[in-house]
Short mmCIF file of all heavy atoms in Angstrom, two decimals:
data_model
loop_
_atom_site.label_atom_id
_atom_site.label_comp_id
_atom_site.label_asym_id
_atom_site.label_seq_id
_atom_site.Cartn_x
_atom_site.Cartn_y
_atom_site.Cartn_z
N LEU Z 1 8.71 -202.37 -104.98
CA LEU Z 1 8.25 -200.99 -105.03
C LEU Z 1 7.10 -200.76 -104.05
O LEU Z 1 6.03 -201.34 -104.18
CB LEU Z 1 7.80 -200.63 -106.44
CG LEU Z 1 7.20 -199.23 -106.59
CD1 LEU Z 1 8.25 -198.16 -106.31
CD2 LEU Z 1 6.61 -199.03 -107.98
N THR Z 2 7.34 -199.91 -103.07
CA THR Z 2 6.31 -199.40 -102.18
C THR Z 2 6.62 -197.93 -101.96
O THR Z 2 7.72 -197.46 -102.30
CB THR Z 2 6.31 -200.11 -100.81
OG1 THR Z 2 7.58 -199.86 -100.16
CG2 THR Z 2 6.12 -201.61 -100.96
N PHE Z 3 5.68 -197.21 -101.39
CA PHE Z 3 5.95 -195.82 -101.08
C PHE Z 3 7.14 -195.70 -100.13
O PHE Z 3 8.03 -194.86 -100.30
CB PHE Z 3 4.72 -195.15 -100.46
CG PHE Z 3 5.01 -193.76 -99.93
CD1 PHE Z 3 5.11 -192.69 -100.78
CD2 PHE Z 3 5.20 -193.56 -98.56
CE1 PHE Z 3 5.40 -191.42 -100.30
CE2 PHE Z 3 5.48 -192.31 -98.07
CZ PHE Z 3 5.57 -191.23 -98.94
N GLU Z 4 7.16 -196.59 -99.12
CA GLU Z 4 8.22 -196.52 -98.12
C GLU Z 4 9.60 -196.77 -98.74
O GLU Z 4 10.57 -196.07 -98.44
CB GLU Z 4 7.97 -197.53 -97.00
CG GLU Z 4 6.75 -197.23 -96.14
CD GLU Z 4 5.48 -197.85 -96.69
OE1 GLU Z 4 5.48 -198.24 -97.88
OE2 GLU Z 4 4.49 -197.94 -95.94
N SER Z 5 9.68 -197.79 -99.63
CA SER Z 5 10.98 -198.12 -100.24
C SER Z 5 11.43 -197.01 -101.19
O SER Z 5 12.61 -196.66 -101.23
CB SER Z 5 10.91 -199.45 -100.98
OG SER Z 5 10.00 -199.40 -102.05
N PHE Z 6 10.50 -196.43 -101.93
CA PHE Z 6 10.86 -195.35 -102.85
C PHE Z 6 11.33 -194.13 -102.07
O PHE Z 6 12.33 -193.48 -102.42
CB PHE Z 6 9.67 -194.97 -103.73
CG PHE Z 6 10.02 -193.99 -104.82
CD1 PHE Z 6 10.40 -194.45 -106.08
CD2 PHE Z 6 9.96 -192.63 -104.61
CE1 PHE Z 6 10.74 -193.56 -107.09
CE2 PHE Z 6 10.29 -191.72 -105.61
CZ PHE Z 6 10.67 -192.20 -106.86
N LYS Z 7 10.63 -193.84 -100.99
CA LYS Z 7 10.99 -192.68 -100.17
C LYS Z 7 12.38 -192.87 -99.57
O LYS Z 7 13.20 -191.94 -99.54
CB LYS Z 7 9.95 -192.48 -99.08
CG LYS Z 7 10.16 -191.21 -98.25
CD LYS Z 7 9.04 -191.03 -97.24
CE LYS Z 7 9.25 -189.76 -96.41
NZ LYS Z 7 8.17 -189.57 -95.42
N LYS Z 8 12.67 -194.08 -99.08
CA LYS Z 8 13.97 -194.35 -98.47
C LYS Z 8 15.09 -194.23 -99.49
O LYS Z 8 16.16 -193.67 -99.20
CB LYS Z 8 13.97 -195.76 -97.86
CG LYS Z 8 15.28 -196.12 -97.17
CD LYS Z 8 15.25 -197.51 -96.59
CE LYS Z 8 15.38 -198.55 -97.69
NZ LYS Z 8 15.51 -199.93 -97.15
N GLU Z 9 14.88 -194.76 -100.71
CA GLU Z 9 15.93 -194.80 -101.71
C GLU Z 9 16.08 -193.48 -102.48
O GLU Z 9 17.18 -193.12 -102.88
CB GLU Z 9 15.66 -195.93 -102.70
CG GLU Z 9 15.70 -197.32 -102.10
CD GLU Z 9 17.10 -197.74 -101.69
OE1 GLU Z 9 18.08 -197.17 -102.22
OE2 GLU Z 9 17.23 -198.63 -100.84
N CYS Z 10 14.97 -192.78 -102.71
CA CYS Z 10 15.01 -191.65 -103.65
C CYS Z 10 14.63 -190.30 -103.03
O CYS Z 10 14.91 -189.25 -103.63
CB CYS Z 10 14.07 -191.92 -104.83
SG CYS Z 10 14.36 -193.51 -105.63
N LEU Z 11 13.96 -190.30 -101.86
CA LEU Z 11 13.53 -189.04 -101.26
C LEU Z 11 13.93 -188.99 -99.80
O LEU Z 11 13.21 -188.44 -98.96
CB LEU Z 11 11.99 -188.90 -101.39
CG LEU Z 11 11.39 -189.02 -102.79
CD1 LEU Z 11 9.87 -189.10 -102.72
CD2 LEU Z 11 11.81 -187.85 -103.66
N SER Z 12 15.07 -189.56 -99.49
CA SER Z 12 15.45 -189.79 -98.09
C SER Z 12 15.61 -188.51 -97.27
O SER Z 12 15.37 -188.51 -96.07
CB SER Z 12 16.75 -190.60 -98.03
OG SER Z 12 17.78 -189.93 -98.72
N ASN Z 13 16.03 -187.41 -97.90
CA ASN Z 13 16.24 -186.16 -97.15
C ASN Z 13 14.98 -185.32 -97.02
O ASN Z 13 14.95 -184.35 -96.26
CB ASN Z 13 17.35 -185.33 -97.81
CG ASN Z 13 18.70 -186.03 -97.76
OD1 ASN Z 13 19.04 -186.63 -96.75
ND2 ASN Z 13 19.43 -185.99 -98.86
N GLY Z 14 13.95 -185.66 -97.79
CA GLY Z 14 12.69 -184.92 -97.71
C GLY Z 14 12.80 -183.48 -98.14
O GLY Z 14 12.08 -182.62 -97.62
N LYS Z 15 13.67 -183.20 -99.10
CA LYS Z 15 13.86 -181.82 -99.56
C LYS Z 15 13.43 -181.68 -101.02
O LYS Z 15 13.41 -182.67 -101.77
CB LYS Z 15 15.33 -181.41 -99.42
CG LYS Z 15 15.79 -181.33 -97.97
CD LYS Z 15 17.21 -180.82 -97.88
CE LYS Z 15 17.64 -180.70 -96.42
NZ LYS Z 15 16.83 -179.72 -95.67
N PRO Z 16 13.11 -180.45 -101.46
CA PRO Z 16 12.69 -180.23 -102.85
C PRO Z 16 13.69 -180.75 -103.87
O PRO Z 16 13.31 -181.28 -104.91
CB PRO Z 16 12.54 -178.71 -102.92
CG PRO Z 16 12.20 -178.29 -101.54
CD PRO Z 16 12.98 -179.22 -100.66
N ILE Z 17 15.00 -180.62 -103.57
CA ILE Z 17 16.01 -181.07 -104.52
C ILE Z 17 15.92 -182.57 -104.76
O ILE Z 17 16.17 -183.07 -105.86
CB ILE Z 17 17.43 -180.68 -104.05
CG1 ILE Z 17 18.46 -180.95 -105.14
CG2 ILE Z 17 17.78 -181.38 -102.76
CD1 ILE Z 17 18.29 -180.12 -106.38
N ASP Z 18 15.53 -183.34 -103.71
CA ASP Z 18 15.36 -184.80 -103.87
C ASP Z 18 14.25 -185.09 -104.86
O ASP Z 18 14.39 -185.95 -105.74
CB ASP Z 18 15.02 -185.45 -102.52
CG ASP Z 18 16.16 -185.36 -101.53
OD1 ASP Z 18 17.32 -185.32 -101.98
OD2 ASP Z 18 15.91 -185.33 -100.32
N ALA Z 19 13.12 -184.39 -104.71
CA ALA Z 19 11.98 -184.60 -105.60
C ALA Z 19 12.33 -184.22 -107.03
O ALA Z 19 11.95 -184.91 -107.98
CB ALA Z 19 10.78 -183.81 -105.10
N LYS Z 20 13.05 -183.12 -107.19
CA LYS Z 20 13.41 -182.67 -108.54
C LYS Z 20 14.37 -183.63 -109.22
O LYS Z 20 14.26 -183.90 -110.42
CB LYS Z 20 13.99 -181.26 -108.47
CG LYS Z 20 12.95 -180.22 -108.06
CD LYS Z 20 13.55 -178.86 -107.76
CE LYS Z 20 12.48 -177.88 -107.27
NZ LYS Z 20 13.05 -176.57 -106.89
N LYS Z 21 15.32 -184.16 -108.45
CA LYS Z 21 16.24 -185.15 -109.01
C LYS Z 21 15.50 -186.42 -109.40
O LYS Z 21 15.75 -187.01 -110.45
CB LYS Z 21 17.34 -185.48 -107.99
CG LYS Z 21 18.41 -184.42 -107.85
CD LYS Z 21 19.47 -184.85 -106.85
CE LYS Z 21 20.59 -183.81 -106.74
NZ LYS Z 21 21.61 -184.21 -105.74
N ALA Z 22 14.59 -186.86 -108.53
CA ALA Z 22 13.82 -188.07 -108.82
C ALA Z 22 12.96 -187.89 -110.06
O ALA Z 22 12.90 -188.76 -110.92
CB ALA Z 22 12.95 -188.44 -107.62
N PHE Z 23 12.32 -186.73 -110.16
CA PHE Z 23 11.46 -186.50 -111.31
C PHE Z 23 12.28 -186.42 -112.60
O PHE Z 23 11.87 -186.95 -113.64
CB PHE Z 23 10.64 -185.22 -111.13
CG PHE Z 23 9.41 -185.19 -112.00
CD1 PHE Z 23 8.22 -185.73 -111.55
CD2 PHE Z 23 9.44 -184.66 -113.28
CE1 PHE Z 23 7.08 -185.73 -112.35
CE2 PHE Z 23 8.33 -184.64 -114.08
CZ PHE Z 23 7.14 -185.18 -113.61
N ASP Z 24 13.43 -185.77 -112.53
CA ASP Z 24 14.30 -185.69 -113.71
C ASP Z 24 14.77 -187.08 -114.12
O ASP Z 24 14.82 -187.41 -115.32
CB ASP Z 24 15.49 -184.78 -113.42
CG ASP Z 24 16.39 -184.61 -114.65
OD1 ASP Z 24 15.91 -184.05 -115.66
OD2 ASP Z 24 17.56 -185.03 -114.60
N GLY Z 25 15.10 -187.92 -113.14
CA GLY Z 25 15.51 -189.29 -113.44
C GLY Z 25 14.39 -190.09 -114.07
O GLY Z 25 14.60 -190.85 -115.03
N LEU Z 26 13.18 -189.92 -113.57
CA LEU Z 26 12.01 -190.60 -114.16
C LEU Z 26 11.76 -190.11 -115.58
O LEU Z 26 11.41 -190.89 -116.47
CB LEU Z 26 10.78 -190.36 -113.29
CG LEU Z 26 10.76 -191.10 -111.94
CD1 LEU Z 26 9.66 -190.53 -111.04
CD2 LEU Z 26 10.54 -192.59 -112.16
N ARG Z 27 11.92 -188.81 -115.79
CA ARG Z 27 11.72 -188.24 -117.13
C ARG Z 27 12.71 -188.85 -118.14
O ARG Z 27 12.34 -189.22 -119.26
CB ARG Z 27 11.87 -186.73 -117.09
CG ARG Z 27 11.70 -186.05 -118.45
CD ARG Z 27 12.07 -184.60 -118.38
NE ARG Z 27 11.10 -183.81 -117.64
CZ ARG Z 27 11.38 -183.06 -116.59
NH1 ARG Z 27 12.63 -183.01 -116.12
NH2 ARG Z 27 10.44 -182.36 -115.99
N ARG Z 28 13.98 -188.95 -117.75
CA ARG Z 28 15.00 -189.51 -118.64
C ARG Z 28 14.73 -191.00 -118.91
O ARG Z 28 14.90 -191.47 -120.04
CB ARG Z 28 16.39 -189.33 -118.02
CG ARG Z 28 16.85 -187.88 -117.94
CD ARG Z 28 18.13 -187.75 -117.12
NE ARG Z 28 18.52 -186.37 -116.94
CZ ARG Z 28 19.28 -185.69 -117.80
NH1 ARG Z 28 19.73 -186.28 -118.90
NH2 ARG Z 28 19.58 -184.43 -117.56
N LEU Z 29 14.31 -191.72 -117.87
CA LEU Z 29 14.01 -193.14 -118.03
C LEU Z 29 12.80 -193.33 -118.94
O LEU Z 29 12.80 -194.21 -119.81
CB LEU Z 29 13.77 -193.77 -116.67
CG LEU Z 29 13.44 -195.27 -116.65
CD1 LEU Z 29 14.55 -196.08 -117.31
CD2 LEU Z 29 13.21 -195.74 -115.22
N GLN Z 30 11.77 -192.50 -118.76
CA GLN Z 30 10.58 -192.58 -119.61
C GLN Z 30 10.96 -192.37 -121.07
O GLN Z 30 10.45 -193.05 -121.97
CB GLN Z 30 9.55 -191.55 -119.17
CG GLN Z 30 8.31 -191.46 -120.06
CD GLN Z 30 7.45 -192.71 -120.01
OE1 GLN Z 30 7.55 -193.52 -119.09
NE2 GLN Z 30 6.58 -192.88 -120.99
N LYS Z 31 11.88 -191.43 -121.34
CA LYS Z 31 12.31 -191.18 -122.72
C LYS Z 31 13.01 -192.40 -123.31
O LYS Z 31 12.82 -192.72 -124.49
CB LYS Z 31 13.24 -189.97 -122.79
CG LYS Z 31 13.57 -189.53 -124.21
CD LYS Z 31 14.40 -188.28 -124.27
CE LYS Z 31 14.55 -187.77 -125.71
NZ LYS Z 31 15.05 -188.78 -126.63
N ARG Z 32 13.79 -193.12 -122.49
CA ARG Z 32 14.45 -194.33 -122.99
C ARG Z 32 13.41 -195.38 -123.36
O ARG Z 32 13.55 -196.07 -124.38
CB ARG Z 32 15.43 -194.88 -121.94
CG ARG Z 32 16.65 -194.02 -121.74
CD ARG Z 32 17.80 -194.80 -121.12
NE ARG Z 32 17.59 -195.12 -119.73
CZ ARG Z 32 17.84 -194.29 -118.72
NH1 ARG Z 32 18.32 -193.07 -118.96
NH2 ARG Z 32 17.64 -194.66 -117.47
N PHE Z 33 12.37 -195.52 -122.52
CA PHE Z 33 11.30 -196.46 -122.86
C PHE Z 33 10.61 -196.05 -124.17
O PHE Z 33 10.38 -196.89 -125.05
CB PHE Z 33 10.26 -196.52 -121.74
CG PHE Z 33 10.62 -197.44 -120.61
CD1 PHE Z 33 10.87 -196.94 -119.33
CD2 PHE Z 33 10.69 -198.81 -120.80
CE1 PHE Z 33 11.20 -197.79 -118.28
CE2 PHE Z 33 11.01 -199.67 -119.77
CZ PHE Z 33 11.27 -199.16 -118.50
N GLU Z 34 10.29 -194.78 -124.31
CA GLU Z 34 9.58 -194.32 -125.50
C GLU Z 34 10.45 -194.42 -126.74
O GLU Z 34 9.96 -194.79 -127.82
CB GLU Z 34 9.09 -192.89 -125.28
CG GLU Z 34 7.99 -192.77 -124.22
CD GLU Z 34 7.45 -191.37 -124.08
OE1 GLU Z 34 7.70 -190.53 -124.97
OE2 GLU Z 34 6.77 -191.09 -123.06
N ASP Z 35 11.74 -194.08 -126.63
CA ASP Z 35 12.64 -194.18 -127.78
C ASP Z 35 12.76 -195.62 -128.26
O ASP Z 35 12.74 -195.90 -129.46
CB ASP Z 35 14.03 -193.64 -127.42
CG ASP Z 35 14.06 -192.12 -127.33
OD1 ASP Z 35 13.08 -191.48 -127.77
OD2 ASP Z 35 15.05 -191.58 -126.80
N ALA Z 36 12.89 -196.55 -127.31
CA ALA Z 36 12.99 -197.96 -127.66
C ALA Z 36 11.70 -198.45 -128.33
O ALA Z 36 11.73 -199.23 -129.29
CB ALA Z 36 13.30 -198.80 -126.43
N PHE Z 37 10.58 -197.97 -127.82
CA PHE Z 37 9.28 -198.38 -128.36
C PHE Z 37 9.06 -197.83 -129.76
O PHE Z 37 8.45 -198.48 -130.61
CB PHE Z 37 8.17 -197.91 -127.41
CG PHE Z 37 6.79 -198.29 -127.85
CD1 PHE Z 37 6.29 -199.56 -127.60
CD2 PHE Z 37 5.98 -197.39 -128.53
CE1 PHE Z 37 5.02 -199.93 -128.00
CE2 PHE Z 37 4.71 -197.75 -128.94
CZ PHE Z 37 4.22 -199.02 -128.67
N ASN Z 38 9.53 -196.62 -130.02
CA ASN Z 38 9.27 -195.97 -131.31
C ASN Z 38 10.17 -196.45 -132.43
O ASN Z 38 9.90 -196.18 -133.60
CB ASN Z 38 9.41 -194.45 -131.15
CG ASN Z 38 8.33 -193.85 -130.27
OD1 ASN Z 38 7.22 -194.39 -130.19
ND2 ASN Z 38 8.62 -192.75 -129.60
N GLY Z 39 11.26 -197.15 -132.12
CA GLY Z 39 12.12 -197.70 -133.16
C GLY Z 39 11.70 -199.11 -133.50
O GLY Z 39 11.76 -200.00 -132.63
N PRO Z 40 11.26 -199.40 -134.73
CA PRO Z 40 10.75 -200.73 -135.07
C PRO Z 40 11.71 -201.86 -134.70
O PRO Z 40 11.29 -202.90 -134.19
CB PRO Z 40 10.54 -200.65 -136.58
CG PRO Z 40 10.31 -199.20 -136.84
CD PRO Z 40 11.18 -198.47 -135.87
N LYS Z 41 13.00 -201.67 -134.92
CA LYS Z 41 13.96 -202.73 -134.66
C LYS Z 41 14.08 -203.00 -133.16
O LYS Z 41 13.93 -204.15 -132.71
CB LYS Z 41 15.32 -202.35 -135.24
CG LYS Z 41 16.33 -203.50 -135.24
CD LYS Z 41 17.67 -203.04 -135.79
CE LYS Z 41 17.56 -202.67 -137.25
NZ LYS Z 41 18.90 -202.31 -137.81
N THR Z 42 14.34 -201.95 -132.38
CA THR Z 42 14.49 -202.15 -130.94
C THR Z 42 13.18 -202.57 -130.29
O THR Z 42 13.17 -203.39 -129.37
CB THR Z 42 15.00 -200.86 -130.25
OG1 THR Z 42 14.13 -199.77 -130.59
CG2 THR Z 42 16.40 -200.53 -130.71
#
């Protein structure tokens, strides 16, 4: 993970839609982390 690698993989076109897709993906991933953390078994 570096700024350059993230930009190449996730923001390659440099457009607002790229940023919005990346942020939505991060939001969904964060929820998976939090859901797993909040369930005692998982």
Side-chain angles (χ1 to χ4, degrees):
L1 175 65
T2 62
F3 171 77
E4 293 89 343
S5 63
F6 188 91
K7 186 176 180 181
K8 181 180 75 173
E9 296 290 339
C10 308
L11 305 170
S12 58
N13 295 319
K15 294 184 178 297
I17 189 64
D18 294 331
K20 292 170 184 177
K21 284 182 178 178
F23 201 88
D24 183 63
L26 288 167
R27 179 189 288 123
R28 292 171 185 272
L29 180 58
Q30 175 67 18
K31 188 176 187 307
R32 290 201 288 277
F33 277 114
E34 292 184 15
D35 286 347
F37 181 81
N38 293 332
K41 190 182 294 184
T42 54

